[in-house]
Amino acid sequence: MNGMTTGEAALDFPILSLALWLPLLIGLPIIVLARSRNAIVVGALMASLAQAVLAIIVTVTFDHQATGYQFVESAEWIPALGISYKLGVDGVSILMVLLTGILGPLVVAASWLTIHRREREFFAALITLQTAMLGVFVTLDFILFYVFWEMVLIPMYLMIGVWGHERRIYATIKFFLYTFAGSVLMLVAILAIRFTTGTFDIEAIPEEMAGASQILQRWVFVAFFLGFAIKVPMFPFHTWLPDAHVEAPTAGSMVLAGVLLKMGAYGFLRFLIPMAPDAVDEARGLVIALSLVAIVYGALVAMVQPDLKKLVAYSSVSHMGFVTLGIFTATQTGIDGALVQMLSHGVVSPALFFAVGVIYERAHTRRIDELGGLAPRMPIYATLFGFFMLASLGLPLLSGFVGEFLVLVGAFEYATGVGVLAALGVILAAAYMLWMYQRVALGRLRNQALATIPDVNRTEILTFVGLGVLVVWVGIFPDTFVRLLGATTAALAG
Amino acid sequence: MLDAPWIIPLLPLLAFAVNGLAGRRSPRWTGWVSTLAILGSFLATVVLWIQSVGSDKDSSVLYTWVASGGFEIEIAFLTDALTVVMLLVVTGVSTLVSMYAVGYMDHDANKPRFFTWIPLFVFSMIMLVISDNLLQLFIFWEMVGLCSYLLIGYWYERDSANAAATKAFLVNRIGDFGFAIGIILAFHEFGTLRYREIFDGLGAADPRMVTAIACLLFIGAMGKSAQFPLHVWLPDAMEGPTPVSALIHAATMVTAGVYLVARLNPVYSAAPEALLLVAAVGTFTAFLAATIALTQTDIKRVLAYSTVSQLGLMFLAAGAGAYTVAIFHLATHAFFKALLFLGSGSVIHAMNDEQDMRQMGGLRSKLPVTYATFIIGGLALAAIFPLAGFWSKDEILALTHLKATSDPGSSLSTDHGAGIFWVFYFTGLAVSVMTAFYTFRMIVKTFHGQPRNAELHAHAHESPRVMTVPLIVLAAGALLTGAVLGIPPEHGIIHGYLKYAAGIVHLEGAGPPATVVLAVISTVAAGGGLLLALGAYSRGMGIPALARRILPGAETLFRQKWYMDHIGDGFGVAFTKATAMISWGFDAGVIDGIVNGVGHLSRFTAGQVRRLQTGQAQNYALLMVVGLVLTVGSLVLFR
Amino acid sequence: MIEPSDIGYVLPELTVLGTALALLLWAAITRGDRRWTSVGLALTGNGLAALFMFMRAPADDAAVQIFTGQLVVDGYSTFFRTLFLILASLAIVFGAQRFSTAPLTDFAALLQFSLLGMMLLVGAADWATAFIAIETMAIPVYVLVGLTRFRRESLEAAMKYFALGAFASAILIYGIAWTYGLTGTTSLAETAAGITAHGETPWTLFALGLILVAMGFKVAAVPFHAWTPDAYQGAPTPAAAFISVGPKVAAMALLARVVTLAFEPLAANIAIALAVIAAATMILGNLAAIAQNDVKRLLGYSSIAHTGYMLVGLAAVSQTEDTATFIGIPSVLFYGFVYAFMTFGAFAVAYVVETQTGSNDISAFRGLAQRAPLPAVAMAVFMLSLTGVPPMSGFLGKLYILQSAVDAEFGWLAVVLVVTSVVSAFYYLRVVVMMFMQDADEAVPADASPVPASAIVADTHAAVIAATAGATVAFGIVGGGLLTWAQSAVTNGLL
């Protein structure tokens, strides 16, 4: 890998803009004009592959030694309000760019298998979502960021509401209102920052905010914290998540768990910590306490869920607790761990949701007590599911371990007691995951309707493997990714 | 070869990949792929061993695993004497077990899966012992646990197997919880996780912190090496196929905890309280497991508790500061316990998968090779002169006695609680008696007397050669390793070689006369146990009945395994689940209730607001007037 | 002294007046289907008016006083007159789908009269002109609400609206009288000087209160809003679409002049009064909308809520001391502009559903995405824009208003605004849910429509929807130009 990155990372063409808009430019026309289902999927696949390739190029050419933003593009957008079109990436966003890119084609593949009506609209929404999500991670203008942040809501809202399950409308409205409520307060805070600093430029604000009053910082903290904590979601703002996941179609859950939840954590790192550092210091104890509760409580609630998808959803609450914990330890190792955990969870939990979707497609149930004994009938599926189950519970050499361990190292640096409580979550994760796997995949066949259930097909295997490659890579060679972060996170840790 | 230690783990890894990807297409060859790969590793280890005698090698770095701020971890190989001994044991025993399994698993439809996990296990175990730092060790420590999980649950249509596998993983996780905390604290204390750098940093470290780290790491060792109270998973692990029991749950994986303590011996030596804890836990476990083994009727469970008990003795040795002796016993135990397990597997194979000794008996004539080798293994386990177990166990007791009687000198910084080592010593003797007793109880019940199940007995047959050859090789090991490696006591080949291990402390014994006396005492104890067993089960003397009268209730206590499973599975699991249910109720009722409550409240308010809209123009006009009065009034009043 | 050149400046208004009269004349002298000729006439007139307006637009930083200071022609009035001309034109095209021949001509003529009033109102520089313009604008609107005489609720709504409107007019004229009495002038600009001279006495505040209340009625602010839902529900849909935007925005334009010009010396009192009214309006409007099942009533309450948002901008501008940097007024201008398109468009889609199902109930929107995908998508755009979700123009509008509130350190008002926006998401999204996430009610027969047979949703109506939706999206993404225009309109007019 050493040879691949050079000191000069700036390409001479606007690669971020390309990654951002190319999917829409390629994908939407094809999807709108396509005459067959397959043509629609091919259009979506091409669009997302284009984004994935560009995201990988960005990651590979990223200069891990440079501090500050790279691949910066800047242009005026609405000069009357001082809003500009400014893009760039640094160590905080690089992994998220990669994740968003890579997840795209895989989600398209998963949707191809699971979406059987109104495909045109679905894939149009999916591609729009891809662009919006990437936009969140690459924008360096506050309003542009907020635009993408909210734009994400719309396709997701439609995905859950139109292609979801029985209680989809309740779930989707709850999802929208809850997350919208969180983000509008953030908008007020953004404007308050602009009032103080005179700019929406994310790159310039932290310096300008350095002299901001304690009162302003506190208000900014509260508003940002609510917005991001709901998105993560942190305890006790998490109850929209299980509902949204359970009702969402498989692809929706994959995107939701894979990228959407990361937006909140990203917000903490990108905005909250640099822009309200003193208020963050004041509230650190509380946030860490909430993270710990999320870790342990999320795991406990996951343990007794009768619905497979809800179990995975609550496990997300627990795993994202590690992310917020790492971020707020204010140690470089903790933040690195949080970012790696974000990447890992961004791959593993979509895989688990996909695994649930595969079963639901075949068995039409997600209830754990109606499953069981699948392993002899679906050996490949059982192996793949088991693999991601293990990745989720933090088995070393798979991705989940790296992030959690680094976060723990950071947590112990912060306070030993915090580290001990967080480590407790690792035991619980093993408990609910193994117990779930035992009841779903192993044992005797309980439901005779599943006696002839077919094993996974080629496309499904490919989707799993696509996700699995990253899981193994992160697990075995984590430094490939961690080295990209150091220059940025060292500064963040202060 | 010298500079290529990576070849040792690479071969099993390749076998894992080949069997995992292509095994289902040609299942016949999977067993041999596995066996030959592990054999290759063994041979490479032998070369390494020959080349490494007398040298103190530095570790070689493969690649940087992660570097985050000051937290830098490399995947690196440390091939010192301790590693080489462990590698020889691991790869040697694994080769034989894998070969044996070719025959044992021949009729199993899913054997590609079996021969996928076996090389993965060997790979992980190699990487564990070859590591030069604590995190790499931990990584593969968990991987070994995973393999154990996969192999215990190999027959995944059996609920009991799945439950046992999950239990093994979870109990190990509890241990690893302590282990992980210990590692992280060690990092924060020493700023590194490399063994040698930790040892170098001991002098400047806070002694209380060192003790805490040592204790926490030992919790991990308790999990993996099945020490009380985390021993509960090991007997259940017998749900796996018998070769797995032999390989993982007797010879190699469970010894990882002992290896850990030996590897970190300078840390433990600097933390005498921790060392005392190690000895105490080891002794108690040895005693507890031995009593339970007295009453078990399942042949594999007897062996499982025996393993727990022997591991306890190894910790007693380590806790007494005799790390080399612990490793010595680890090595000899690997041979005879693998032998016994494989022998029991041969019996089970012959008895059509029956494991209950009450269905056996009189198999001596049907299974001559198995019987002969089993006797050797039994004698070795019972520590009868001059078999392997004698030499190593005798040293453990001798050094415990030494600790009890005299200060062992400057090699241990302080010497707390020498008196308690008397307790340990006598407990060790009692364990010797019980070990010999349950071993021969098992042998008699299985091979001697009249067949208790005529039908099964009629179909019993000796195993094929692919299974008996490993038995014979292991029997040779059980016969000879002790004498070859361990003579003279405390100054044998193994002791001399292990001097080159990183930072190891070698505890010198009290000298020949005292040693001989102690050896005679322990031999008498073992012989006594053996004779009691023969008397009770072969001659039909009423010893069990007598024991029941003298110690009423004891048998029930032992048979119920001291109610440990009731506490763990019953109370522990029930408590966790109840907490989980309460949490869920709280989540749905209170937290989500508030969220939905906000929604309901705004709708309710909306309904009330709507009632303002009467449709009557008069009311609207009135509203305007009110508004007018309020607006103008407040403007004027609050100006 | 009336200069002859003044006539050139009022050519647009004269053209609109001429068009109105021509329409009435055309109706008197022709028979048969004159729907398209009426529409053509009105559109031509409005086009010409726009042409005249831009030809005689004053130079950049000049505000031209005409008719002895009765009227002012400036960038500010040009901004609003442009909007009103577009709006009236859209409404007439919309009406052509709704009405058969005779009512259409009436509808068009009344619209033109009201348009005339609105155009005069935004240029009013004198209390007298303002009052006359308001009445010119309002009286045709009362008739528009009652245009479908055969519908009881239409007549009832018109009567209520008229009665309450008359009441409000009385309050307004009373307030104007007090102001005149206190300052001795009817000129808006000179009023300020008079009030400064008179000082902040209970009497000046009393006059201010009366005028605020009357204007509050016109913009439908709480608690003077009660007529709104009834009027919208009763009015024929094209009329409702027009009423929900035009008179409200025009009155808002006047209110902005009043608070920044005439009563500028009382800015501090105005700020708090407007802030309280704005908050009450946002809260009540949004809360009440939740409980509505009739889409037109829902849009009625929604329009009340949006009044509240715009009032925030006005409150902010009064609050801030440093008028050089204020953005409150331009934010109101921008918001009024984009609000016009999204609300108008929403009524246009509601009309599609009305013709299909004969109902304005929200449940009639079930499955619209399958029956009529493009109107459904457009409606989703309108709803999201009304909610204030990017990248729609409603977001940019709210952002701008919020910025003005934050800059004026009206933090609590900003928070009320965003929180009520969340509440609004609930009922706007309900419409989206109905359209996209639920299947059509089989029970609704396709031909149950009581709407006249001539009223078919044709291409021109689709064009109205497309235009409003397009504008709603476009101003969100490339709204910079409009924003700059709004800013320069304020600097060239009000200041």
Side-chain angles (χ1 to χ4, degrees):
Chain A
M1 286 303 287
N2 257 327
M4 295 177 85
T5 55
T6 60
E8 187 55 53
L11 304 178
D12 50 2
F13 64 100
I15 189 166
L16 292 179
S17 284
L18 214 56
L20 197 53
W21 301 113
L22 200 61
L24 276 187
L25 293 180
I26 299 179
L28 275 190
I30 301 182
I31 291 168
V32 170
L33 297 174
R35 289 181 173 274
S36 72
R37 181 173 194 273
N38 283 344
I40 294 172
V41 177
V42 167
L45 199 61
M46 278 170 57
S48 54
L49 274 176
Q51 197 181 47
V53 168
L54 289 166
I56 291 170
I57 292 176
V58 169
T59 315
V60 170
T61 52
F62 184 82
D63 178 1
H64 70 274
Q65 283 164 333
T67 52
Y69 296 94
Q70 303 180 30
F71 310 104
V72 174
E73 298 167 30
S74 185
E76 283 196 337
W77 178 27
I78 303 178
L81 278 178
I83 303 171
S84 60
Y85 175 84
K86 188 173 178 191
L87 310 179
V89 289
D90 69 350
V92 169
S93 48
I94 186 72
L95 291 186
M96 295 300 103
V97 170
L98 180 70
L99 174 67
T100 311
I102 288 179
L103 217 49
L106 299 169
V107 173
V108 170
S111 319
W112 181 42
L113 299 164
T114 50
I115 300 296
H116 302 294
R117 66 193 180 88
R118 297 165 82 173
E119 292 95 340
R120 202 184 298 279
E121 293 93 324
F122 183 88
F123 283 102
L126 188 58
I127 293 301
T128 314
L129 188 58
Q130 285 279 317
T131 290
M133 290 188 306
L134 191 67
V136 167
F137 297 123
V138 300
T139 43
L140 293 183
D141 179 278
F142 235 143
I143 296 301
L144 191 61
F145 160 78
Y146 186 81
V147 166
F148 283 119
W149 174 273
E150 294 285 48
M151 242 175 86
V152 167
L153 286 186
I154 305 169
M156 197 67 224
Y157 159 74
L158 290 173
M159 272 171 145
I160 300 174
V162 178
W163 291 273
H165 304 295
E166 301 79 25
R167 293 178 72 229
R168 60 183 190 275
I169 289 168
Y170 167 75
T172 199
I173 290 180
K174 190 171 181 179
F175 160 74
F176 193 101
L177 287 182
Y178 211 143
T179 48
F180 188 57
S183 48
V184 290
L185 284 176
M186 189 168 90
L187 184 59
V188 178
I190 290 175
L191 294 173
I193 288 176
R194 142 95 186 203
F195 179 61
T196 312
T197 65
T199 179
F200 285 129
D201 186 342
I202 290 169
E203 205 174 354
I205 289 172
E207 214 171 306
E208 300 281 334
M209 280 292 282
S213 72
Q214 195 72 11
I215 303 287
L216 177 72
Q217 280 205 26
R218 282 183 194 154
W219 282 113
V220 166
F221 177 87
V222 168
F224 274 180
F225 182 75
L226 276 178
F228 299 140
I230 288 172
K231 205 74 157 197
V232 167
M234 285 182 76
F235 176 89
F237 308 111
H238 63 279
T239 53
W240 62 269
L241 185 74
D243 285 315
H245 268 314
V246 168
E247 300 305 327
T250 300
S253 288
M254 289 172 73
V255 179
L256 191 58
V259 183
L260 255 69
L261 305 191
K262 310 302 172 300
M263 287 165 47
Y266 171 78
F268 284 139
L269 282 171
R270 169 68 78 232
F271 307 109
L272 190 60
I273 290 177
M275 293 178 190
D278 301 334
V280 167
D281 273 338
E282 286 177 357
R284 195 180 299 287
L286 176 69
V287 182
I288 284 184
L290 288 179
S291 305
L292 289 176
V293 172
I295 291 172
V296 174
Y297 174 89
L300 280 173
V301 179
M303 197 175 292
V304 286
Q305 293 304 312
D307 183 307
L308 193 49
K309 222 171 171 185
K310 241 180 178 157
L311 187 149
V312 181
Y314 274 107
S315 85
S316 284
V317 174
S318 181
H319 285 131
M320 290 306 287
F322 276 102
V323 173
T324 51
L325 175 62
I327 290 172
F328 283 90
T329 57
T331 61
Q332 191 191 347
T333 314
I335 296 173
D336 280 354
L339 283 164
V340 175
Q341 170 79 346
M342 281 158 75
L343 179 64
S344 163
H345 182 261
V347 185
V348 173
S349 66
L352 288 176
F353 279 116
F354 183 58
V356 177
V358 165
I359 282 299
Y360 187 75
E361 281 289 297
R362 290 164 167 75
H364 304 291
T365 179
R366 294 183 309 256
R367 286 190 64 86
I368 293 172
D369 57 8
E370 290 174 6
L371 299 168
L374 295 175
R377 278 137 202 102
M378 308 174 72
I380 302 176
Y381 172 78
T383 308
L384 292 166
F385 187 24
F387 172 82
F388 288 106
M389 179 272 293
L390 292 167
S392 176
L393 64 76
L395 188 80
L397 293 190
L398 302 180
S399 60
F401 172 75
V402 184
E404 286 181 1
F405 198 85
L406 291 178
V407 168
L408 286 179
V409 171
F412 272 93
E413 198 175 327
Y414 175 75
T416 306
V418 169
V420 172
L421 283 173
L424 211 57
V426 180
I427 301 183
L428 292 172
Y432 65 76
M433 275 293 165
L434 290 175
W435 193 39
M436 176 275 286
Y437 189 71
Q438 189 183 328
R439 286 176 298 161
V440 170
L442 308 178
R444 258 182 257 282
L445 194 68
R446 267 175 292 176
N447 185 348
Q448 285 311 313
L450 304 182
T452 56
I453 193 163
D455 205 345
V456 279
N457 61 35
R458 241 165 240 227
T459 316
E460 286 164 339
I461 293 177
L462 216 62
T463 310
F464 275 123
V465 169
L467 294 161
V469 167
L470 207 61
V471 170
V472 173
W473 193 326
V474 175
I476 297 181
F477 304 107
D479 207 46
T480 323
F481 304 95
V482 174
R483 68 211 294 268
L484 301 177
L485 316 174
T488 311
T489 52
L492 269 177
Chain B
M1 204 59 180
L2 183 66
D3 294 324
W6 45 266
I7 198 116
I8 302 171
L10 181 67
L11 287 170
L13 184 64
L14 286 177
F16 158 70
V18 169
N19 282 349
L21 294 173
R24 291 164 61 81
R25 256 168 245 150
S26 50
R28 283 178 59 199
W29 301 109
T30 53
W32 290 112
V33 168
S34 159
T35 308
L36 289 174
I38 303 170
L39 180 65
S41 292
F42 175 68
L43 295 175
T45 311
V46 170
V47 172
L48 183 72
W49 169 46
I50 291 167
Q51 288 176 333
S52 73
V53 172
S55 70
D56 186 8
K57 277 174 46 60
D58 214 10
S59 48
S60 57
V61 175
L62 196 60
Y63 66 92
T64 299
W65 188 69
V66 76
S68 163
F71 188 73
E72 261 190 74
I73 302 296
E74 283 148 349
I75 298 293
F77 299 144
L78 172 65
T79 48
D80 71 352
L82 181 56
T83 302
V84 170
V85 169
M86 285 299 293
L87 282 178
L88 284 170
V89 171
V90 169
T91 53
V93 174
S94 302
T95 308
L96 294 170
V97 172
S98 179
M99 179 179 170
Y100 174 92
V102 172
Y104 190 85
M105 301 301 290
D106 192 39
H107 58 279
D108 195 291
N110 291 317
K111 70 178 171 183
R113 193 152 49 84
F114 184 84
F115 286 112
T116 304
W117 303 141
I118 288 287
L120 179 66
F121 164 75
V122 175
F123 163 74
S124 307
M125 192 69 199
I126 290 170
M127 291 296 287
L128 187 161
V129 297
I130 212 168
S131 162
D132 92 324
N133 63 68
L134 271 175
L135 191 68
Q136 184 185 341
L137 178 132
F138 180 72
I139 289 173
F140 291 98
W141 180 275
E142 287 247 312
M143 286 301 291
V144 163
L146 166 74
C147 295
S148 167
Y149 167 78
L150 293 168
L151 287 165
I152 294 169
Y154 175 72
W155 285 307
Y156 51 47
E157 286 191 82
R158 294 212 308 233
D159 287 337
S160 55
N162 297 327
T166 305
K167 183 172 174 182
F169 200 106
L170 287 181
V171 173
N172 268 298
R173 263 272 156 133
I174 294 170
D176 293 352
F177 166 72
F179 195 178
I181 294 175
I183 289 175
I184 296 171
L185 288 181
F187 171 73
H188 287 310
E189 183 66 27
F190 301 107
T192 177
L193 289 176
R194 286 189 201 88
Y195 303 138
R196 290 177 186 209
E197 293 171 13
I198 290 177
F199 300 160
D200 292 344
L202 275 170
D206 173 7
R208 288 189 317 160
M209 199 57 168
V210 174
T211 305
I213 291 167
C215 289
L216 284 163
L217 295 178
F218 179 59
I219 292 176
M222 283 161 68
K224 194 106 310 176
S225 292
Q227 295 300 290
F228 174 85
L230 300 181
H231 67 281
V232 287
W233 65 273
L234 184 61
D236 287 10
M238 298 304 125
E239 289 288 344
T242 304
V244 171
S245 309
L247 179 61
I248 303 189
H249 306 127
T252 57
M253 171 182 121
V254 292
T255 60
V258 181
Y259 167 74
L260 174 73
V261 175
R263 169 54 81 197
L264 294 179
N265 66 78
V267 176
Y268 282 92
S269 299
E273 291 90 347
L275 211 48
L276 194 63
L277 176 75
V278 172
V281 168
T283 311
F284 181 68
T285 308
F287 179 76
L288 174 94
T291 59
I292 297 172
L294 293 175
T295 57
Q296 297 300 307
T297 54
D298 181 315
I299 184 168
K300 282 177 73 179
R301 279 185 184 268
V302 175
L303 288 171
Y305 279 106
S306 148
T307 302
V308 175
S309 177
Q310 295 297 311
L311 290 165
L313 290 179
M314 293 177 211
F315 280 112
L316 171 57
Y323 307 105
T324 49
V325 174
I327 294 297
F328 183 27
H329 193 56
L330 184 158
T332 58
H333 175 257
F335 281 98
F336 61 71
K337 190 49 69 64
L339 169 62
L340 286 172
F341 260 116
L342 294 185
S344 77
S346 187
V347 170
I348 293 163
H349 202 61
M351 294 296 284
N352 215 355
D353 293 339
E354 180 56 63
Q355 299 187 186
D356 192 336
M357 292 191 294
R358 286 169 298 190
Q359 303 292 317
M360 297 175 182
L363 288 170
R364 182 167 40 165
S365 56
K366 288 272 189 175
L367 306 169
V369 179
T370 305
Y371 175 65
T373 54
F374 207 87
I375 285 284
I376 293 172
L379 289 170
L381 173 59
I384 303 299
F385 182 85
L387 282 82
F390 166 78
W391 301 99
S392 51
K393 188 153 90 182
D394 178 53
E395 282 186 20
I396 294 173
L397 291 176
L399 289 169
T400 310
H401 180 261
L402 179 70
K403 271 288 267 193
T405 51
S406 62
D407 191 310
S410 61
S411 55
L412 293 177
S413 54
T414 49
D415 190 20
H416 289 278
I420 197 150
F421 277 84
W422 279 115
V423 177
F424 297 161
Y425 177 69
F426 285 114
T427 313
L429 279 182
V431 170
S432 289
V433 176
M434 287 190 282
T435 305
F437 182 86
Y438 65 66
T439 308
F440 278 85
R441 169 178 175 264
M442 173 175 68
I443 289 173
V444 170
K445 282 197 153 200
T446 308
F447 291 100
H448 293 251
Q450 293 303 312
R452 263 153 286 197
N453 187 326
E455 196 187 337
L456 284 177
H457 186 263
H459 289 97
H461 56 86
E462 182 58 280
S463 299
R465 191 153 303 162
V466 69
M467 289 166 68
T468 52
V469 167
L471 289 180
I472 293 164
V473 175
L474 285 169
L479 265 174
L480 301 173
T481 44
V484 169
L485 297 175
I487 293 180
E490 291 145 37
H491 297 88
I493 292 174
I494 191 160
H495 305 88
Y497 183 63
L498 280 175
K499 274 182 192 160
Y500 298 103
I504 201 131
V505 176
H506 180 57
L507 202 56
E508 297 281 337
T515 304
V516 171
V517 171
L518 289 172
V520 169
I521 292 174
S522 60
T523 306
V524 168
L530 193 158
L531 292 175
L532 273 176
L534 288 179
Y537 297 101
S538 194
R539 301 276 170 233
M541 292 158 69
I543 293 165
L546 185 68
R548 275 186 211 110
R549 268 218 302 283
I550 296 168
L551 292 169
E555 194 201 9
T556 317
L557 179 69
F558 298 163
R559 199 189 294 282
Q560 296 296 334
K561 307 155 195 166
W562 293 54
Y563 297 97
M564 288 306 298
D565 284 349
H566 296 77
I567 294 169
D569 293 0
F571 179 73
V573 173
F575 176 76
T576 312
K577 278 194 187 167
T579 318
M581 287 304 287
I582 291 168
S583 303
W584 186 25
F586 178 75
D587 205 57
V590 178
I591 296 185
D592 206 27
I594 291 172
V595 174
N596 288 331
V598 170
H600 291 312
L601 183 69
S602 39
R603 268 202 255 184
F604 173 77
T605 320
Q608 298 301 309
V609 169
R610 189 187 187 181
R611 292 166 77 182
L612 281 176
Q613 198 75 21
T614 54
Q616 303 290 318
Q618 312 85 288
N619 291 354
Y620 296 174
L622 183 65
L623 197 61
M624 277 180 70
V625 172
V626 171
L628 177 71
V629 171
L630 281 179
T631 311
V632 177
S634 17
L635 268 174
V636 173
L637 286 177
F638 304 115
R639 64 197 164 98
Chain C
M1 186 70 69
I2 297 173
E3 303 285 336
S5 65
D6 290 357
I7 302 298
Y9 285 111
V10 292
L11 264 183
E13 284 78 4
L14 290 177
T15 314
V16 169
L17 176 63
T19 315
L21 295 172
L23 279 166
L24 291 180
L25 192 64
W26 186 246
I29 61 174
T30 57
R31 286 178 197 288
D33 188 353
R34 53 170 188 273
R35 285 192 299 153
W36 300 112
T37 47
S38 303
V39 170
L41 195 59
L43 291 186
T44 313
N46 288 348
L48 276 175
L51 194 65
F52 293 142
M53 182 172 69
F54 284 108
M55 279 169 61
R56 285 309 299 270
D60 259 358
D61 46 359
V64 181
Q65 304 272 342
I66 54 171
F67 298 125
T68 64
Q70 293 290 312
L71 269 178
V72 62
V73 181
D74 54 13
Y76 184 75
S77 71
T78 305
F79 183 90
F80 281 108
R81 287 186 293 170
T82 313
L83 172 64
F84 297 147
L85 284 169
I86 297 171
L87 198 62
S89 307
L90 284 173
I92 286 168
V93 177
F94 187 174
Q97 300 300 327
R98 169 66 177 81
F99 297 111
S100 51
T101 299
L104 177 66
T105 318
D106 298 348
F107 174 74
L110 287 165
L111 264 183
Q112 294 298 95
F113 280 122
S114 183
L115 174 62
L116 173 66
M118 285 155 53
M119 289 171 78
L120 289 172
L121 184 58
V122 295
D126 190 282
W127 287 114
T129 324
F131 183 76
I132 293 167
I134 280 184
E135 293 305 306
T136 313
M137 169 183 87
I139 291 169
V141 167
Y142 303 142
V143 184
L144 279 177
V145 171
L147 197 60
T148 43
R149 287 166 311 220
F150 48 87
R151 283 171 63 223
R152 249 195 75 223
E153 61 268 38
S154 183
L155 285 177
E156 185 189 327
M159 283 311 298
K160 276 190 220 167
Y161 188 13
F162 173 70
L164 294 169
F167 185 30
S169 294
I171 297 173
L172 179 61
I173 200 80
Y174 190 45
I176 290 174
W178 267 94
T179 311
Y180 178 72
L182 291 167
T183 63
T185 176
T186 58
S187 159
L188 292 181
E190 287 162 26
T191 304
I195 287 179
T196 311
H198 200 270
E200 184 199 307
T201 64
W203 308 117
T204 50
L205 291 170
F206 181 65
L208 170 67
L210 290 172
I211 288 171
L212 282 186
V213 168
M215 297 308 293
F217 175 85
K218 292 293 170 194
V219 299
V222 169
F224 320 109
H225 66 286
W227 58 274
T228 323
D230 291 356
Y232 291 7
Q233 191 183 21
T237 310
F242 178 76
I243 301 164
S244 66
V245 182
K248 180 195 291 271
V249 175
M252 198 63 81
L254 178 69
L255 186 57
R257 267 199 211 275
V258 168
V259 299
T260 55
L261 195 63
F263 283 99
E264 202 273 332
L266 301 179
N269 308 65
I270 293 172
I272 189 69
L274 283 183
V276 171
I277 293 177
T281 308
M282 291 187 286
I283 293 169
L284 204 84
N286 280 315
L287 271 180
I290 289 181
Q292 303 306 320
N293 287 320
D294 184 289
V295 170
K296 280 160 77 178
R297 280 188 84 82
L298 186 149
L299 287 170
Y301 281 107
S302 137
S303 85
I304 295 170
H306 286 266
T307 294
Y309 303 148
M310 286 187 257
L311 287 177
V312 171
L314 288 187
V317 75
S318 303
Q319 165 90 348
T320 179
E321 313 229 318
D322 180 11
T323 44
T325 59
F326 80 94
I327 54 171
I329 304 287
S331 75
V332 175
L333 261 63
F334 183 81
Y335 201 86
F337 205 98
V338 298
Y339 161 78
F341 288 97
M342 55 209 192
T343 294
F344 195 93
F347 275 105
V349 177
Y351 180 66
V352 173
V353 176
E354 193 180 316
T355 55
Q356 285 183 342
T357 64
S359 163
N360 279 319
D361 196 85
I362 193 166
S363 61
F365 278 76
R366 275 180 207 275
L368 188 70
Q370 274 138 328
R371 291 205 305 272
L374 291 179
V377 168
M379 190 67 167
V381 167
F382 299 135
M383 291 296 122
L384 291 169
S385 186
L386 287 166
T387 314
V389 177
M392 311 308 173
S393 55
F395 163 71
L396 208 52
K398 261 185 197 160
L399 172 71
Y400 205 13
I401 287 181
L402 269 178
Q403 179 80 67
S404 75
V406 171
D407 286 3
E409 301 188 31
F410 254 141
W412 66 270
L413 200 55
V415 170
V416 172
L417 196 162
V418 295
V419 170
T420 52
S421 290
V422 176
V423 174
S424 79
F426 181 77
Y427 59 84
Y428 290 130
L429 290 186
R430 251 179 93 203
V431 179
V432 181
V433 164
M434 289 291 170
M435 294 190 299
F436 285 86
M437 303 174 191
Q438 296 196 331
D439 294 325
D441 255 347
E442 294 301 323
V444 177
D447 56 357
S449 167
V451 180
S454 68
I456 44 157
V457 181
D459 291 346
T460 48
H461 192 64
V464 170
I465 295 174
T468 46
T472 302
V473 176
F475 288 135
I477 296 171
V478 287
L482 183 61
L483 259 168
T484 316
W485 187 20
Q487 284 175 346
S488 70
V490 172
T491 40
N492 297 342
L494 281 182
L495 298 177

